[in-house]
Amino acid sequence: GFCSSNSIYYSKRKPLPLPPNPSLDVTTFISSRAHHGTTAFIDSSTGHHLTFPHLWLSVHSVASSLSSMGIRKGDVILLLSPNSIYFPVVCLSVMSLGAIITTTNPLNTSTEIAKQIKDSNPVLAFATSQLLPKITAASPNLPIILIEEEEEQERNKPKQPRVVDTLHNMMTKREPSVNRVKQQVNQDDTATLLYSSGTTGPSKGVVSSHRNLISMVQIVIGRFEKEELQTFICTVPMFHIYGLVAFATGLLASGSTIVVLSKFEMHDMLSSIERFRATYLPLVPPILVAMVNNAEAIKGKYDLSSLHSVLSGGAPLSKEVIEGFVEKYPKVTILQGYGLTESTGVGASTDSLEESRRYGTAGLLSPGTEAKIVEPESGEALPVNKTGELWLRGPTIMKGYFSNEEATASTLDSEGWLRTGDVCYIDNDGFIFIVDRLKELIKYKGYQVPPAELEALLLTHPAILDAAVIPYPDKEAGQVPMAYVVRKPGSNLSESQVMDFVAKQVAPYKRIRRVTFTSSVPKNPSGKILRKDLIKLATSK
Ligand code: AYL
C-alpha cells in the first residue's frame, strides 16, 4: 500500500528514475531530450518567437559570452525582468555553466532588491531597461547586462556606465565554443536561489540543486507524456518557482509551445488563448475567481474552444470556486498543483479529470515524493484521514537555506524531511487535502508576503510600540495583510497613516490593507506572537 506501518506515505505515481550520470546540468538534461516541437516561445504582444534550435543556439552563445566575461561555476547572477521570451534564455545559459540564478519580483522596491543582493552577493545582473534603475539604486557598482526590448535593439540609447553588454548582442555573437572553458557541473551543484520566507521570519535564499531541477523537469513533463503537444499560456511569473519550473525549464523538455505574457491582464490572456488556440492555462486562484465571476461576459467575447485544461496552483482554491468554474466552463478540466519554493515546485497534483473530481484535493504526491502527516505537539506521524503538518521528502526538496544554518535546521531534519508549515490530511486513496497554514506566511494573489518583514517595518515608526501582521481572508486576493498595532502613549496615529507608512516602502502586493489598534500583542512566554489567536479574533467579528 501507499502508507507503511510507520505512517510514511509513498507516491502512487510511477517513479521516474534520475539520470545516473552525476555530472549533468539541468540545461543539458532539457536540451538533449527528444521531442516533436518546433516553436518554444512566442511573445503574445509582438508575435516574436524562438524556435527550439534558435533557443538552444542562443543559450549556447550567451553561455559562451558569460564564460568569456569570467563567469564561473558557483557565481551568483541576478535576473530582474518581467516575463519575456528571453527570461528562460538567461536562466538556462547561467545554469549551463554551473553559475547560480537568483530571481526577484519586478514589483519589488530597490530597498527590497538591495536586501536580496546583500544576501546572495551576485557578480552580475540581467535587467530590462525599465527595471535597470532599481538595480542601480540597490547596488550602484553591480555590472549589468541589458535585456533590450526588440524595438530598442536598433535605437541608440545613452550608454549607462554599469551596462557591460546587451542580451541581444550576446545571443547573436555565436562565439566559438572553444572560448568556453566549461567546468564540470554536477547534479549536486546549486542551480537556483529563489527567495521564500519559509515557515517563519524574513525571506531566505532557497538553494535548489541541478538534481532538484532535473527531478522537477521529469515530474512536469511526466504529466504530458501520453498527450499531444500542448500550447501553454504563461501569465504566472517566471521569477517565482511556479513559473520557473514550468516555463523556464520543465515544459521545454516536452516540446510544448509557450505563449508568454509580460504580466497578467485578463483581456490579453483571453485573446491570446483565442489567437494561439492555446490548450493549457496554468493560473493562480485569484484569476480563476475572476474567470468565474465574469464568465458570461468572457464567453460572449472570446472563443476559448481550444482550451482543455486550467491548472490552479500556489494558493488554496475553494470548493465554491471549483464548483463555479466547473459549472461555467464545463468543457475545461480544472487541475490543481500544490508545492513550495522549498520543494522546487510541485509536491502534489491532480493530473486528470478523474483525479480532480475529488473537489478540493491538492492531488497525489509527485513521483518519488514521500510524505508524513505529523502531529505538531507530539511529533507523532499520523494515519490516513488525520490532520497534522505535512512533511515532504524526495529528490526535489531543497538543499537548504543559503548561508542560514539555523533556518535550515529548523526546516529540514536529519532524515531529509521538509516541514511544509501546511496543515493537511491524506485520504484512503492517497489524496492530499490542505486545510490550513501553520506557518506565518500570507499569500496575496499567490505572492508571498512575510509578516515578519512588515512587523519589523512597522516597529521603525516613531509612534508604534508593537505590531503583529496576520493574513485576513479576502474573496479576490485569497488573503490580505492585516496589522494589529499598539500605539505609543499619547499618539493619535490613524489607520490610514499606518497603511501609507508601509505602502511607501514596500512592493504593492505587500501593502497592509486592514489595521486594528490594540492595547497589546498577545505573545507566548518566550515572546512569540500568538498569531492564531489574532487570526481568530480578526475573523470572529
Ligand atoms: P511558494 N493549495 C493550497 N495551498 C497552496 C497550494 C495549493 N494548491 N500551492 C501552494 N500553496 C501554499 O513557496 C502553501 O501554503 O510556492 C505552500 O506551503 O510561494 C505555499 O503556498 C508555498 O508558497 C505548481 C504548483 C509550483 C505550485 C507550486 C508552488 C508555488 C508556491 C508549481 O504547479
Side-chain angles (χ1 to χ4, degrees):
F2 69 98
C3 183
S4 67
S5 55
N6 53 353
S7 291
I8 294 179
Y9 299 86
Y10 301 99
S11 173
K12 295 178 85 175
R13 300 203 189 280
K14 196 178 100 211
L16 304 162
L18 268 167
N21 181 2
S23 69
L24 179 66
D25 67 87
V26 63
T27 303
T28 305
F29 178 71
I30 296 169
S31 64
S32 57
R33 210 170 170 281
H35 59 70
H36 303 291
T38 50
T39 305
F41 293 107
I42 307 175
D43 180 313
S44 81
S45 64
T46 64
H48 289 291
H49 68 277
L50 286 174
T51 62
F52 281 101
H54 189 185
L55 168 70
W56 297 121
L57 261 177
S58 304
V59 166
H60 184 71
S61 182
V62 174
S64 298
S65 299
L66 285 170
S67 181
S68 305
M69 286 170 65
I71 298 301
R72 293 291 173 266
K73 184 167 143 173
D75 287 342
V76 174
I77 296 180
L78 173 73
L79 171 54
L80 180 63
S81 167
N83 283 355
S84 95
I85 65 174
Y86 304 112
F87 194 110
V89 174
V90 175
C91 297
L92 293 161
S93 315
V94 167
M95 294 190 296
S96 76
L97 294 172
I100 301 162
I101 192 90
T102 189
T103 58
T104 193
N105 190 333
L107 295 172
N108 283 348
T109 64
S110 55
T111 314
E112 289 163 338
I113 295 167
K115 265 194 222 158
Q116 187 171 333
I117 289 178
K118 185 156 179 274
D119 190 72
S120 60
N121 197 21
V123 297
L124 181 73
F126 282 83
T128 56
S129 36
Q130 227 193 345
L131 293 168
L132 190 135
K134 286 194 184 182
I135 296 200
T136 43
S139 175
N141 296 322
L142 187 62
I144 296 168
I145 291 167
L146 194 64
I147 306 173
E148 300 160 292
E149 313 299 327
E150 306 270 343
E151 60 280 2
E152 293 174 333
Q153 280 164 11
E154 307 306 321
R155 224 186 295 153
N156 268 333
K157 282 188 310 328
K159 195 150 167 47
Q160 300 265 358
R162 300 311 313 167
V163 173
V164 293
D165 209 341
T166 68
L167 180 68
H168 182 71
N169 196 23
M170 292 169 89
M171 278 172 66
T172 47
K173 258 187 205 157
R174 306 275 147 77
E175 292 198 18
S177 42
V178 284
N179 278 1
R180 198 166 143 190
V181 264
K182 181 150 155 73
Q183 292 157 290
Q184 182 175 301
V185 182
N186 297 314
Q187 292 201 40
D188 275 334
D189 292 331
T190 302
T192 57
L193 195 55
L194 270 52
Y195 276 71
S196 163
S197 61
T199 55
T200 182
S203 269
K204 295 168 278 287
V206 172
V207 179
S208 289
S209 67
H210 285 267
R211 177 172 296 112
N212 292 153
L213 278 145
I214 289 169
S215 313
M216 188 48 59
V217 171
Q218 290 183 317
I219 290 168
V220 169
I221 61 176
R223 307 172 68 166
F224 305 107
E225 219 120 56
K226 284 160 252 115
E227 297 171 40
E228 312 256 293
L229 286 176
Q230 307 290 328
T231 299
F232 285 83
I233 298 287
C234 165
T235 184
V236 299
M238 290 180 179
F239 75 82
H240 185 258
I241 192 70
Y242 185 179
L244 190 90
V245 298
F247 302 118
T249 53
L251 292 171
L252 296 172
S254 73
S256 304
T257 297
I258 297 164
V259 177
V260 181
L261 275 70
S262 62
K263 59 177 191 326
F264 169 71
E265 208 279 313
M266 189 60 102
H267 164 74
D268 289 347
M269 183 183 85
L270 298 166
S271 69
S272 297
I273 297 171
E274 178 175 316
R275 273 187 296 141
F276 297 99
R277 304 292 300 156
T279 57
Y280 211 111
L281 182 59
L283 296 175
V284 288
I287 307 180
L288 277 106
V289 173
M291 284 181 74
V292 173
N293 292 342
N294 302 302
E296 307 315 324
I298 289 172
K299 288 192 291 188
K301 224 168 137 190
Y302 304 94
D303 172 9
L304 304 182
S305 58
S306 59
L307 190 66
H308 65 66
S309 300
V310 164
L311 170 69
S312 172
L317 187 65
S318 73
K319 201 166 177 242
E320 300 88 86
V321 177
I322 302 173
E323 284 167 349
F325 197 92
V326 170
E327 188 199 319
K328 306 280 185 188
Y329 302 92
K331 295 212 175 86
V332 182
T333 300
I334 175 168
L335 303 170
Q336 267 219 68
Y338 160 82
L340 305 86
T341 310
E342 288 82 351
S343 66
T344 321
V346 203
S349 61
T350 57
D351 289 2
S352 65
L353 178 63
E354 205 195 326
E355 290 177 9
S356 63
R357 281 224 178 89
R358 293 168 198 255
Y359 286 178
T361 182
L364 295 174
L365 290 167
S366 292
T369 303
E370 300 170 338
K372 277 203 280 194
I373 299 289
V374 178
E375 211 290 304
E377 311 279 271
S378 67
E380 185 198 352
L382 301 172
V384 291
N385 294 321
K386 295 270 189 252
T387 300
E389 184 185 11
L390 175 69
W391 292 16
L392 292 176
R393 183 164 72 177
T396 69
I397 303 301
M398 66 165 179
K399 297 211 289 184
Y401 291 114
F402 184 64
S403 324
N404 195 334
E405 272 169 41
E406 201 189 324
T408 304
S410 59
T411 308
L412 283 175
D413 78 5
S414 58
E415 291 171 13
W417 289 102
L418 170 80
R419 295 180 162 88
T420 66
D422 292 311
V423 181
C424 308
Y425 68 90
I426 297 184
D427 77 7
N428 285 315
D429 300 315
F431 286 86
I432 299 184
F433 290 81
I434 311 202
V435 294
D436 197 5
R437 198 177 290 146
L438 205 61
K439 56 187 168 189
E440 294 173 6
L441 181 64
I442 300 167
K443 279 251 154 158
Y444 177 85
K445 297 191 173 170
Y447 289 129
Q448 285 205 4
V449 183
E453 259 178 43
L454 296 175
E455 285 157 5
L457 187 58
L458 286 168
L459 291 178
T460 66
H461 192 288
I464 293 179
L465 193 64
D466 204 358
V469 175
I470 55 159
Y472 188 84
D474 182 86
K475 272 213 152 54
E476 252 176 69
Q479 297 180 323
V480 297
M482 167 179 184
Y484 277 94
V485 172
V486 184
R487 282 177 289 205
K488 284 195 179 152
S491 151
N492 57 1
L493 188 71
S494 70
E495 291 156 12
S496 63
Q497 282 172 325
V498 173
M499 290 195 264
D500 289 348
F501 175 75
V502 171
K504 281 200 194 96
Q505 303 181 70
V506 299
Y509 65 93
K510 288 186 187 163
R511 284 180 189 163
I512 287 177
R513 289 163 204 269
R514 285 178 87 94
V515 176
T516 295
F517 293 110
T518 177
S519 57
S520 70
V521 171
K523 290 181 185 159
N524 76 3
S526 57
K528 261 189 88 178
I529 297 170
L530 296 172
R531 292 173 197 280
K532 288 285 166 211
D533 292 1
L534 285 174
I535 293 170
K536 238 187 239 150
L537 183 70
T539 49
S540 67
K541 286 190 189 135

